[in-house]
Amino acid sequence: MPKAPRRTRSEDESTRTGNGGELHQQATDQVLTTNQGVPISDDQNSLKASPRGPSLLEDFHFLEKITHFDHERIPERIVHARGSAAHGTFVANGAGAKYSRAGFLAKTATTPVFCRFSTVAGGAGSVDLPRDVRGFAVKFYTGEGNFDLVGNNIPVFFIQDALKFPDLVHAVKMEPDRGFPQNASAHDTFWDFVSLMPESMHMLMWAMSDRAIPRSLRMMEGFGVHTFKLVDAKGTSTFVKFHWRPSLQMQSVTWDEAVKICGADQDFHRRDLFTAIQAGAFPSWELAIQVIEEDRIEEFPFDILDSTKLLPEEDFPLLVVGTMTLDRWPDNFFAETEQSAFHPGHLVPGIELSDDPLLQGRIFSYTDTQLIRLGGPNFHELPINAPKCPMHNWQRDGHQRHEITTGRVSYEPNSLAPGGPRETARGFVTHPAYDTKGAAKIRVRSETFADHYSQARMFFRSMTDVEQRHIVNAFTFELSKLETVAIRTRMLGHLELIDPALGTSVAEAMGMTGQADTLTPARKPIELQPSPALSILAKFAPTLQGRKVGALIADGFDRALVDKLRAAVTAAGAMFELVAPKIGGATSADGKLVPADHIVSGGPSVIFDAVVVAPGAAGMPALLGEAAAKAWVSDAFAHCKVMAVVPAAQPLLDAAGVKPDEGVIEITTKTIAAFVDAAAAGRIWARETSVRGPDKQPAKAAVTKGSATAKSKKSPPAKPAPVIAPKPPKPPSTPALKKRR
Ligand code: HDE
């Protein structure tokens, strides 16, 4: 007979130690039970025939726990697998009520929402900052049912017909024989496919722009992409496009930062959203519509049903219809974020689909995907998917049915359940977009979808010089990763058609000048006015709201100065974090040990928007002997960040190759305000070409930038005005400091 295990009670009676020294925490409040509610006395040891085994099959607690664990994962989304979500509220301003009878668009209507952001190509456990499109899906729990606006952070799409979606996704995902690359478009199959699909050229321009490497999920625009229909109470339809505009404005990281951030913090975007919400800095977006009046449909040079085209804001201004604020992180990631099921066909009365062939195909795909992911037709009963308004129908049974319906009737019409659900005249009605009489059954692409280059060209020409340079670099990076030369030369042919300056710059940067294939477009591109609204930098207005400033400190640092910096930075709405050689902190000149938020190797400067380099002389040897400290400073400089520096930092600045410019500010209590202003104005882009070799390659956009119309519009310069007037560079031995006058 095995002996009963020896048990000893701890002093406070809330724990005991088992025979093997294992900890048994004892219930003082809630009792641990099986899924059947049976209290569990030992969750540390399985049932055995003797202390050393064998294990017994009759241990139903062990069997239940392991079986549940074995089934914990469900199929991840085939696209948009990696996502982060939050709850919030949408408040309408009433402007949309003119066009739609949807109750949630009525003035002051307040609607709970759930918003999930995602990357597209990678798996659920992949990094947050690949070059990729971001999903922007919002579920409105309206009083008339759920409305899902399942959009992206880019207003156009790669393909025109849903039939091509599996091909696109197969091409971008890891290659099937080798299982890599994870989460990256820079490989042969993606570029092979898109280079054979001229319709993807416009979207490629966006995907190779800084929009595809956002600084934060809170700093992204969102788009419904397709044309939708709003319908008012009289049944009058209006075509619209949906836009989300972030109150924190758009911001992107640089490509080099994206690469390094992926190593430093794989969860960079998820953590940022979580931290902001936990801190009460709730992100918000305005929802706007672009109204397409019927008489302007013909005037627009493209087909409004073609999802590879956008409507320039300059011609179709945004009408704000309400504001969404995200203020609550989900309680449980799996139950809410993972099990949320979005669907472009979740519509409410007053919002309808257009005939866009891409949108039409999505209507099938999303239900089908939920069936495989969530296991059956009752996914609408999961709390995250359930409408918050009354829901009644005669559907019954099926996998994982939760609702216990009563009575003998499960059909209608019926006379046996007189109080049961019935049709209503105020229910959803589908209004045809136009008369479909005499329609044939055909497999053709409309000729009106045939211009694949004009808007791609417009996008490129609407960018600032800095943004054009980044696009050139992105194409150069991605195409240089290809093994098959023929795909490179084909893509160069497309870039030539989009804009000769773009094609030439990329070819030169790749050392492939003159090797572009000659391609003939299906339709000759037309010249369009540039649209400054497409540029991130041209419309940026200085702000430090929601940003993060990092201060590198070391022993002997000036605590009063750092405290004042913290106060000024937080007053401007940003976070302020300390980085030191040791996590325990650094000792200030006045002898106080101040704990750090990050160890220098664990909190690289790439995770901050602006930096302070404020070590004391006593800590300098520790920093100079640490490669991560030198990289911290040299990266901040190379990423064009505004830097506040103290004189004691000079040896480190020299070691890191920091050169004086208007963004390197000597920090004293008098220059704090100047530093905050400079940091709010964004990066010192003028520095970029002097620090990054291949980026010196100009985009050479010697194209007609701007036009009479575009020039007359107020469009800020590419680079924010320097806060401190630049001085001529000094000889290398002189301090890399700039005094604020
Ligand atoms: Fe999706 N898409 N998609 N998509 N999509 C999915 O549905 C699909 C498209 C978008 O956070 C899947 O529930 C087809 C455009 C987002 O859960 C799937 C086509 C746009 C999300 C699917 C498209 C999107 C998805 C996978 C070609 C921008 C994530 C998981 C017509 C307007 C939603 C799921 C979330 C997810 C199909 C094209 C946005 C497979 C067939 C265009 C934001 O059903």
Side-chain angles (χ1 to χ4, degrees):
M1 267 291 275
K3 274 195 207 158
R6 177 174 55 87
R7 290 174 171 181
T8 53
R9 288 265 171 194
S10 75
E11 284 151 26
D12 65 1
E13 295 288 307
S14 64
T15 61
R16 64 179 174 78
T17 308
N19 248 12
E22 80 279 8
L23 180 69
H24 294 257
Q25 292 181 317
Q26 301 296 290
T28 52
D29 184 5
Q30 277 193 48
V31 170
L32 187 70
T33 74
T34 67
N35 285 342
Q36 302 304 316
V38 178
I40 294 168
S41 63
D42 187 338
D43 195 34
Q44 317 307 320
N45 300 298
S46 54
L47 193 66
K48 301 181 200 76
S50 79
R52 298 177 59 235
S55 298
L56 298 178
L57 193 58
E58 79 169 73
D59 187 352
F60 61 85
H61 167 48
F62 169 80
L63 296 184
E64 180 200 83
K65 187 172 173 182
I66 291 291
T67 307
H68 194 277
F69 168 74
D70 291 345
H71 295 257
E72 271 175 13
R73 292 278 71 81
I74 59 173
E76 65 177 33
R77 292 162 173 85
I78 169 71
V79 280
H80 298 269
R82 166 108 188 142
S84 305
H87 292 273
T89 307
F90 175 78
V91 182
N93 64 12
K98 178 175 166 203
Y99 301 100
S100 171
R101 67 169 166 133
F104 81 100
L105 290 175
K107 196 171 170 104
T108 71
T110 302
T111 306
V113 295
F114 184 70
C115 175
R116 183 174 181 272
F117 303 103
S118 47
T119 54
V120 176
S126 55
V127 292
D128 273 349
L129 251 172
R131 175 175 292 285
D132 198 359
V133 183
R134 299 302 188 284
F136 193 130
V138 183
K139 190 180 285 294
F140 297 77
Y141 302 92
T142 89
E144 297 154 312
N146 290 352
F147 167 54
D148 291 355
L149 186 51
V150 198
N152 280 343
N153 76 329
I154 289 179
V156 289
F157 202 62
F158 289 106
I159 48 172
Q160 294 174 323
D161 191 309
L163 187 61
K164 299 310 298 165
F165 194 62
D167 300 296
L168 167 71
V169 174
H170 290 171
V172 72
K173 286 236 162 199
M174 60 187 185
E175 299 189 12
D177 57 347
R178 58 207 67 184
F180 66 81
Q182 280 287 337
N183 213 8
S185 55
H187 59 118
D188 284 40
T189 59
F190 174 71
W191 287 96
D192 183 30
F193 177 74
V194 293
S195 64
L196 296 169
M197 299 285 288
E199 70 205 56
S200 51
M201 290 308 136
H202 186 194
M203 176 75 164
L204 283 175
M205 297 303 294
W206 288 79
M208 294 302 117
S209 80
D210 293 347
R211 298 252 184 174
I213 38 173
R215 154 69 177 86
S216 160
L217 301 171
R218 302 177 288 143
M219 297 167 202
M220 296 191 319
E221 289 184 345
F223 304 89
V225 177
H226 311 276
T227 297
F228 287 84
K229 254 178 6 184
L230 295 188
V231 183
D232 69 12
K234 292 193 203 115
T236 313
S237 313
T238 311
F239 285 117
V240 296
K241 296 257 191 199
F242 288 106
H243 293 243
W244 290 107
R245 288 292 150 104
S247 61
L248 294 177
Q249 303 188 64
M250 270 190 297
Q251 191 176 316
S252 295
V253 298
T254 67
W255 175 240
D256 189 57
E257 279 177 305
V259 170
K260 289 173 174 160
I261 289 170
C262 287
D265 184 0
Q266 303 211 4
D267 307 301
F268 185 68
H269 280 159
R270 182 175 294 175
R271 189 189 309 280
D272 168 90
L273 185 62
F274 175 85
T275 312
I277 291 175
Q278 300 308 91
F282 303 136
S284 68
W285 286 260
E286 281 180 340
L287 177 64
I289 53 173
Q290 277 180 304
V291 174
I292 314 164
E293 298 87 0
E294 217 166 300
D295 54 341
R296 298 194 63 196
I297 294 176
E298 290 304 313
E299 193 188 294
F300 184 58
F302 307 100
D303 197 323
I304 60 160
L305 301 182
D306 175 358
S307 275
T308 66
K309 305 298 184 300
L310 57 82
L311 295 176
E313 256 179 70
E314 290 76 6
D315 301 328
F316 296 87
L318 300 193
L319 172 67
V320 175
V321 297
T323 304
M324 169 175 80
T325 307
L326 299 181
D327 57 7
R328 186 163 64 85
W329 191 257
D331 291 321
N332 184 278
F333 184 87
F334 180 83
E336 300 177 86
T337 308
E338 193 58 18
Q339 293 199 121
S340 58
F342 293 88
H343 191 319
H346 290 168
L347 299 164
V348 290
I351 304 184
E352 295 181 27
L353 307 171
S354 72
D355 291 347
D356 173 350
L358 195 68
L359 178 56
Q360 297 276 320
R362 294 178 73 196
I363 305 310
F364 165 73
S365 179
Y366 287 69
T367 314
D368 194 39
T369 230
Q370 311 315 342
L371 290 177
I372 183 78
R373 270 185 12 88
L374 301 172
N378 289 317
F379 58 85
H380 64 279
E381 289 191 332
L382 294 167
I384 194 64
N385 298 323
K388 296 192 195 297
C389 63
M391 188 225 96
H392 308 285
N393 59 39
W394 302 102
Q395 293 171 25
R396 291 290 181 269
D397 309 343
H399 219 72
Q400 304 289 346
R401 185 69 174 184
H402 284 203
E403 189 188 351
I404 301 175
T405 45
T406 53
R408 63 199 289 207
V409 178
S410 56
Y411 56 86
E412 64 91 25
N414 68 61
S415 60
L416 297 180
R422 299 289 190 268
E423 294 171 0
T424 168
R426 63 181 174 81
F428 191 93
V429 182
T430 303
H431 298 79
Y434 46 78
D435 186 0
T436 49
K437 262 189 247 130
K441 290 184 180 173
I442 44 172
R443 276 188 192 270
V444 289
R445 187 77 57 89
S446 169
E447 274 175 29
T448 54
F449 283 32
D451 179 346
H452 302 133
Y453 298 96
S454 301
Q455 282 208 343
R457 180 179 293 178
M458 174 183 80
F459 180 80
F460 186 65
R461 294 182 183 183
S462 304
M463 297 293 107
T464 61
D465 290 350
V466 172
E467 290 165 309
Q468 287 191 343
R469 194 164 62 228
H470 291 174
I471 291 172
V472 169
N473 290 343
F475 275 110
T476 306
F477 176 90
E478 298 254 330
L479 300 183
S480 300
K481 288 269 183 187
L482 306 185
E483 292 161 11
T484 312
V485 176
I487 304 176
R488 289 193 209 145
T489 55
R490 200 187 301 145
M491 260 322 295
L492 286 174
H494 287 297
L495 300 185
E496 276 288 321
L497 281 175
I498 292 169
D499 189 313
L502 170 65
T504 313
S505 300
V506 175
E508 257 177 44
M510 289 171 65
M512 292 183 67
T513 303
Q515 296 185 42
D517 291 358
T518 306
L519 305 177
T520 313
R523 181 165 294 176
K524 203 166 169 280
I526 53 173
E527 295 299 329
L528 301 168
Q529 304 280 342
S531 166
L534 303 181
S535 160
I536 298 176
L537 296 181
K539 65 179 177 189
F540 182 77
T543 180
L544 214 51
Q545 280 284 341
R547 274 61 174 178
K548 217 183 206 186
V549 175
L552 180 61
I553 55 167
D555 288 351
F557 75 99
D558 180 344
R559 188 160 63 94
L561 178 66
V562 168
D563 284 349
K564 286 197 178 110
L565 269 162
R566 179 193 296 278
V569 164
T570 47
M575 287 172 74
F576 186 83
E577 291 179 351
L578 293 180
V579 182
K582 294 184 179 167
I583 193 67
T587 305
S588 60
D590 59 351
K592 190 157 188 282
L593 179 68
V594 179
D597 299 295
H598 304 272
I599 180 173
V600 67
S601 57
S605 61
V606 288
I607 65 172
F608 302 110
D609 298 284
V611 299
V612 177
V613 188
M620 195 48 72
L623 292 178
L624 287 173
E626 171 56 68
K630 281 182 268 183
W632 203 95
V633 177
S634 62
D635 268 356
F637 186 71
H639 297 143
C640 307
K641 283 174 184 159
V642 171
M643 306 173 74
V645 298
V646 297
Q650 193 59 54
L652 187 60
L653 301 179
D654 289 341
V658 174
K659 304 274 182 315
D661 69 22
E662 70 267 31
V664 181
I665 299 168
E666 181 179 340
I667 195 76
T668 63
T669 47
K670 291 199 185 110
T671 59
I672 289 176
F675 166 69
V676 169
D677 286 351
R683 299 182 198 248
I684 308 298
W685 289 117
R687 192 190 290 159
E688 194 174 38
T689 47
S690 69
V691 289
R692 199 164 293 286
D695 293 28
K696 281 185 181 142
Q697 194 66 45
K700 284 209 216 126
V703 288
T704 42
K705 284 198 74 191
S707 66
T709 344
K711 272 184 197 149
S712 67
K713 294 203 163 92
K714 198 170 165 271
S715 120
K719 178 177 74 63
V723 172
I724 298 174
K727 273 189 193 167
K730 292 174 186 168
S733 58
T734 55
L737 298 178
K738 189 124 268 297
K739 284 214 195 254
R740 166 126 177 109
R741 323 226 149 237

